[in-house]
Amino acid sequence: MSEDKPHQNLAIIGHVDHGKSTLVGRLLFETGSVPEHVIEQHREEAEEKGKGGFEFAYVMDNLAEERERGVTIDIAHQQFDTDKYYFTIVDCPGHRDFVKNMITGASQADNAVLVVAADDGVAPQTREHVFLARTLGINELIIGVNKMDVVDYSEDTYKEVKEQVSNLLKQVRFKSDDATFIPISAFEGDNIAEDSENTPWYDGPNLVEALNDLPEVEPPTDAPLRLPIQDVYTISGIGTVPVGRVETGVLETGANVSFQPSDVGGEVKTVEMHHEEVPRAEPGDNVGFNVRGIGKDDIRRGDVCGPADDPPKVAETFKAQLVVMQHPSVITAGYTPVFHAHTAQVACTIESIDQKLDPKSGEVAEENPDFIKSGDAAVVTVRPQKPLSIEPSGEIPELGSFAVRDMGQTIAAGKVLEVNER
Ligand code: GDP
């Protein structure tokens, strides 16, 4: 597998049981990305049990079993490549914090595969994930109409599901020209890496071809540096080492940086990636670095590192557009749930609900409504109860979205329209 190819973060989204995990297993298998020793082990097991030639089932069993045991090898963060790209599967719904991760950028995907089971069609999470994909700026959607084997590879059923999904994309105003539809069976391997004989009526690309045809992603290297801090370590011989992922811009040794909202700064002495010192790090790179004069107690998780002359913004209040995904009652002014943005978690008060929006057209439906409830979209004014660094999504989208959590659930998601700085 070559890391020299351009990289893409890919999300696999769709309703529970529509076949996301099976598809990931199948993609890894068909692209030869399951390590040889794992295949070999499965081959031996399969032969012992007299089931030779059934390696795929064993790969899947293994993934499933490891998930049950809570082992780190989950379907998330698996990697595979096509001729052109090197893909990382950033996260997968079903993963407990998927929705939150998707929103807070912990698993920012460039593009997504939406899995829709042919025998079930558009289901509630299909809607929710498509909506999030659109709100959070997923560029392109490939739709795998899955389980075609279950519907006897019926062209009519495929067309029906395609129609349902197209309507959904229109409703949420996802440019539906951007979507590629493919009839697949993750389980049987139809139209994954090879064109299937079971769908002679389909003449579009198979899934691997469609992934290979995705447009290249331009990393946001020209934007100002924004590096949310994930953790802060003390390492003997080096000192204080904040770690995190560069979201935008470039981190270079010798640069003067500022951490906000802690409001401290200094010169970058060293940058490390994969245990090696590097002169610079770019968007997507996970780094540990060391800044002259910064001690372990000066900075914390949730701080954002940026250039000293263009520091991360700290909000006194901010205006945001949000969508209420699920809330048992109604949300009124004064409500103070926890906002998750990049690596920060801060209680924030919804100070006023300024406008209710029509969820379909995005136009203003009501000024100063008394409350909003599940399914509503609104413009609100938010006051963080502790300093929070956040950016307008129009300027730095990577640092401009948030998830609202309460009672252990993601109840709303949104993006920042304006920051009123402290
Ligand atoms: P997820 O919840 O979306 O990750 O769905 P899974 O990948 O766990 O699949 C749910 C169930 O559907 C499992 O029993 C799979 O074996 C089955 N399944 C997935 N894809 C296919 C397919 O293409 N054809 C058939 N017949 N079953 C499938």
Side-chain angles (χ1 to χ4, degrees):
M1 194 177 307
S2 168
E3 299 207 20
D4 297 337
K5 295 176 185 176
H7 183 247
Q8 295 252 3
N9 282 327
L10 187 71
I12 309 289
I13 60 178
H15 194 72
V16 62
D17 278 348
H18 278 202
K20 296 175 297 292
S21 323
T22 310
L23 182 63
V24 171
R26 176 58 78 175
L27 267 173
L28 297 179
F29 186 70
E30 301 269 342
T31 55
S33 317
V34 183
E36 194 55 42
H37 71 271
V38 175
I39 299 256
E40 206 40 56
Q41 180 195 332
H42 295 318
R43 200 189 311 272
E44 281 166 19
E45 276 178 25
E47 273 166 14
E48 271 169 29
K49 293 179 184 161
K51 290 183 185 171
F54 218 59
E55 298 95 325
F56 175 67
Y58 277 81
V59 170
M60 289 316 302
D61 285 353
N62 195 43
L63 286 170
E65 197 183 299
E66 278 174 342
R67 249 185 308 164
E68 272 163 29
R69 281 190 284 135
V71 175
T72 45
I73 307 169
D74 204 325
I75 47 177
H77 306 114
Q78 297 283 356
Q79 296 173 328
F80 66 94
D81 64 347
T82 63
D83 289 346
K84 185 167 168 198
Y85 294 118
Y86 172 62
F87 286 91
T88 304
I89 293 175
V90 287
D91 210 332
C92 246
H95 220 210
R96 203 167 50 91
D97 284 337
F98 167 74
V99 171
K100 190 194 88 192
N101 288 349
M102 189 158 157
I103 296 162
T104 55
S107 58
Q108 194 121 22
D110 303 306
N111 298 300
V113 176
L114 170 67
V115 180
V116 186
D119 59 342
D120 197 18
V122 168
Q125 284 165 328
T126 318
R127 283 178 193 284
E128 181 187 283
H129 292 161
V130 164
F131 192 84
L132 284 172
R134 139 91 210 293
T135 309
L136 305 171
I138 294 272
N139 299 324
E140 308 255 338
L141 214 49
I142 295 172
I143 294 108
V145 178
N146 191 34
K147 306 199 187 183
M148 286 303 297
D149 56 305
V150 176
V151 297
D152 295 328
Y153 301 97
S154 153
E155 182 179 12
D156 287 345
T157 308
Y158 169 73
K159 281 188 170 158
E160 255 167 55
V161 174
K162 184 176 170 183
E163 175 80 20
Q164 283 179 13
V165 177
S166 299
N167 285 339
L168 171 62
L169 297 184
K170 266 186 226 139
Q171 267 177 31
V172 306
R173 304 165 106 215
F174 209 107
K175 291 176 291 169
S176 41
D177 312 348
D178 278 353
T180 306
F181 287 81
I182 311 174
I184 61 172
S185 167
F187 196 78
E188 300 291 344
D190 294 287
N191 292 326
I192 306 294
E194 276 172 39
D195 296 352
S196 170
E197 286 172 6
N198 294 321
T199 53
W201 40 264
Y202 173 75
D203 60 3
N206 62 46
L207 182 58
V208 170
E209 284 170 344
L211 289 168
N212 203 50
D213 285 346
L214 286 169
E216 214 162 305
V217 178
E218 289 292 334
T221 313
D222 293 337
L225 171 69
R226 292 294 185 263
L227 195 178
I229 303 307
Q230 195 96 44
D231 268 306
V232 184
Y233 296 103
T234 306
I235 296 180
S236 61
I238 303 180
T240 303
V241 178
V243 302
R245 186 178 63 185
V246 178
E247 292 295 345
T248 58
V250 173
L251 177 72
E252 279 175 304
T253 50
N256 256 312
V257 294
S258 158
F259 293 83
Q260 297 296 341
S262 285
D263 201 23
V264 292
E267 186 193 325
V268 178
K269 283 199 294 188
T270 52
V271 180
E272 263 202 25
M273 212 162 91
H274 306 304
H275 307 290
E276 269 173 45
E277 229 178 284
V278 291
R280 57 186 256 139
E282 299 189 353
D285 290 343
N286 283 297
V287 295
F289 58 112
N290 178 248
V291 175
R292 200 176 295 278
I294 299 279
K296 189 170 179 359
D297 297 330
D298 295 335
I299 53 176
R300 54 199 53 84
R301 181 185 169 92
D303 274 340
V304 180
C305 175
D309 58 5
D310 188 358
K313 292 186 178 59
V314 180
E316 177 77 40
T317 60
F318 61 89
K319 231 179 222 313
Q321 181 181 327
L322 61 73
V323 176
V324 185
M325 283 156 36
Q326 47 186 350
H327 193 276
S329 56
V330 296
I331 293 176
T332 54
Y335 180 47
T336 307
V338 178
F339 278 54
H340 294 239
H342 52 87
T343 57
Q345 299 182 14
V346 174
C348 297
T349 302
I350 296 181
E351 213 165 51
S352 58
I353 303 173
D354 307 319
Q355 290 161 336
K356 190 154 121 181
L357 307 175
D358 181 316
K360 284 178 193 161
S361 67
E363 275 157 28
V364 176
E366 189 183 343
E367 296 283 348
N368 305 310
D370 292 334
F371 64 88
I372 44 176
K373 58 179 183 358
S374 293
D376 285 346
V379 173
V380 297
T381 302
V382 181
R383 181 177 294 274
Q385 294 300 317
K386 276 189 187 162
L388 169 67
S389 176
I390 199 158
E391 307 283 342
S393 67
E395 289 171 29
I396 308 184
E398 291 79 0
L399 274 282
S401 53
F402 57 83
V404 181
R405 306 257 300 171
D406 195 7
M407 301 166 285
Q409 282 187 322
T410 300
I411 56 163
K415 56 184 178 184
V416 178
L417 302 174
E418 267 171 50
V419 174
N420 169 22
E421 291 184 70
R422 283 213 298 171

